[in-house]
Amino acid sequence: MFQPSQHDVRRFFCEAYRLQRDGLPLTPMQMPAADWINQHPEYHDDLADEAAALAAVLVALVLKPRRNVTRARLSVAGALANYRIVFANPRTKLLYGLVVIEGLLLFGIPAYVAAILFARSGVGPAEAGLVIAGMGFGCLVYGLMTRILVERLGPTLMTRLGGVVCAIGLSLFAFDWVWWSAIPLFALQGFGFFLLHGTFQAQATELAPAARGSAMALFACCFFLGQATGPLAMGAAMSVLGTPIAILAFAIAIALFGYLTPRILPVPRSRT
C-alpha cells in the first residue's frame, strides 16, 4: 500500500494549488484537493511556499479551524491589552504565584534522579529515565480517572489529596530502596501532580474569557519558571541539609502546599 511521507503530502498540495492558480489541467486525484484549497483561501499564501504548506495542511485537517472568523493580527499592543485584561482579575496574581511554587516543589527532584540512583545502586541513565517516566504513567492514570475524581472529590479535595500523594511518593524516595522501586514512587508523584495541576489549569482558563489564550500563555510561563527554578532550590537544599533530609523537606512542603492552597485561593464549588 502506498504510504506518502510528509514531504509527499506537502508537494501534492503545493502542486495542486500551483496548477489551479495557473489554470492548468488537474488530475482526478488533485481535483478534491483543489476544491479543499478553494474553501480555505487563508492558506493560499502558505501553499505557495512548500516549507509552510505542511503545517497549514495539518492545522486545517487536524484542528479544523472555523471558517469566516475574523482573527486579530498579532501585535505588541494587542498582547499588552490582553495582559491587562488578564491581570484585571484579582485572582490572577495569586494563581500564577501558586503555580510557580508548584513547579518549584514538584520538579526540583527529577534533575538529580540519575545521580542519586547511581550513588545508591550504581545504575545508569537508562534506569533513571525509566524512573522519571513513572511520572508519565501516573499522569496517564489520572487522565483515565479524571471524570470520576472531579465528580466524587471536587477541586478542593483534589488539591489536598494531590499534595498528600506527591508527598508520599517523594518522601519514600528519600530512602535507599532497590532502584526499580522508585518507578511506582514517581508514578505516585505524577498522579498527585495532576490532581494539583488540573485544578490550577481549570481556574486559569476562567481568569479572562475574553483573553483566554493570553491567560493560558502566562500560566504556562509561570509554571515553567517554577519548574526551571526547582532544581536550583533542590540543589541548594541538598548541599546544606544532605540529600535525604532535603527530599523530605520538599515532601513536607508539598503536603502543606496542597493543604493550604484551597484556603489561599478558594475554588468556586460550581467549577472544576
Side-chain angles (χ1 to χ4, degrees):
M1 181 180 293
F2 177 60
Q3 294 181 336
S5 66
Q6 292 182 345
H7 180 70
D8 294 330
V9 173
R10 179 173 67 245
R11 291 290 301 273
F12 172 77
F13 275 92
C14 287
E15 181 67 9
Y17 175 62
R18 184 186 68 79
L19 293 173
Q20 180 196 51
R21 181 188 58 195
D22 296 343
L24 299 175
L26 296 166
T27 67
M29 186 175 292
Q30 290 172 333
M31 289 179 182
D35 291 339
W36 177 87
I37 292 170
N38 279 333
Q39 296 173 11
H40 295 276
E42 66 271 24
Y43 296 115
H44 287 180
D45 289 342
D46 293 324
L47 290 171
D49 178 6
E50 285 195 23
L54 178 61
V57 170
L58 291 178
V59 167
L61 296 180
V62 178
L63 299 181
K64 298 179 180 178
R66 293 171 295 172
R67 300 179 187 176
N68 302 322
V69 175
T70 302
R71 294 178 173 85
R73 295 181 63 86
L74 179 64
S75 68
V76 174
L80 293 177
N82 284 338
Y83 294 153
R84 284 193 291 270
I85 294 173
V86 174
F87 281 101
N89 188 330
R91 295 172 61 87
T92 296
K93 293 179 182 178
L94 277 176
L95 179 59
Y96 288 170
L98 288 171
V99 81
V100 169
I101 297 172
E102 177 202 30
L104 185 153
L105 293 176
L106 272 69
F107 288 91
I109 192 63
Y112 300 96
V113 168
I116 292 171
L117 293 180
F118 180 78
R120 290 176 178 175
S121 307
V123 296
E127 291 81 359
L130 288 173
V131 169
I132 296 173
M135 293 188 76
F137 178 76
C139 295
L140 288 175
V141 173
Y142 170 85
L144 295 173
M145 299 178 61
T146 301
R147 183 171 182 177
I148 297 173
L149 292 169
V150 171
E151 291 177 350
R152 298 190 178 182
L153 299 181
T156 297
L157 191 53
M158 285 174 64
T159 302
R160 288 177 173 166
L161 181 61
V164 171
V165 171
C166 285
I168 291 173
L170 184 57
S171 61
L172 290 176
F173 184 66
F175 302 96
D176 189 359
W177 313 97
V178 63
W179 76 267
W180 52 261
S181 65
I183 297 176
L185 298 183
F186 271 73
L188 277 178
Q189 292 183 60
F191 183 75
F193 160 66
F194 261 85
L195 283 170
L196 276 168
H197 192 71
T199 59
F200 288 151
Q201 197 165 31
Q203 292 180 73
T205 64
E206 300 175 349
L207 288 175
R212 185 170 283 117
S214 297
M216 294 306 298
L218 288 169
F219 176 83
C221 176
C222 291
F223 173 66
F224 291 126
L225 177 62
Q227 188 178 18
T229 308
L232 300 177
M234 177 62 81
M238 286 179 175
S239 66
V240 174
L241 304 174
T243 298
I245 300 301
I247 293 175
L248 288 173
F250 267 63
I252 293 171
I254 291 170
L256 289 174
F257 176 78
Y259 178 79
L260 294 175
T261 290
R263 293 192 174 192
I264 297 172
L265 188 68
V267 182
R269 292 183 179 274
S270 61
R271 300 183 183 181
T272 57

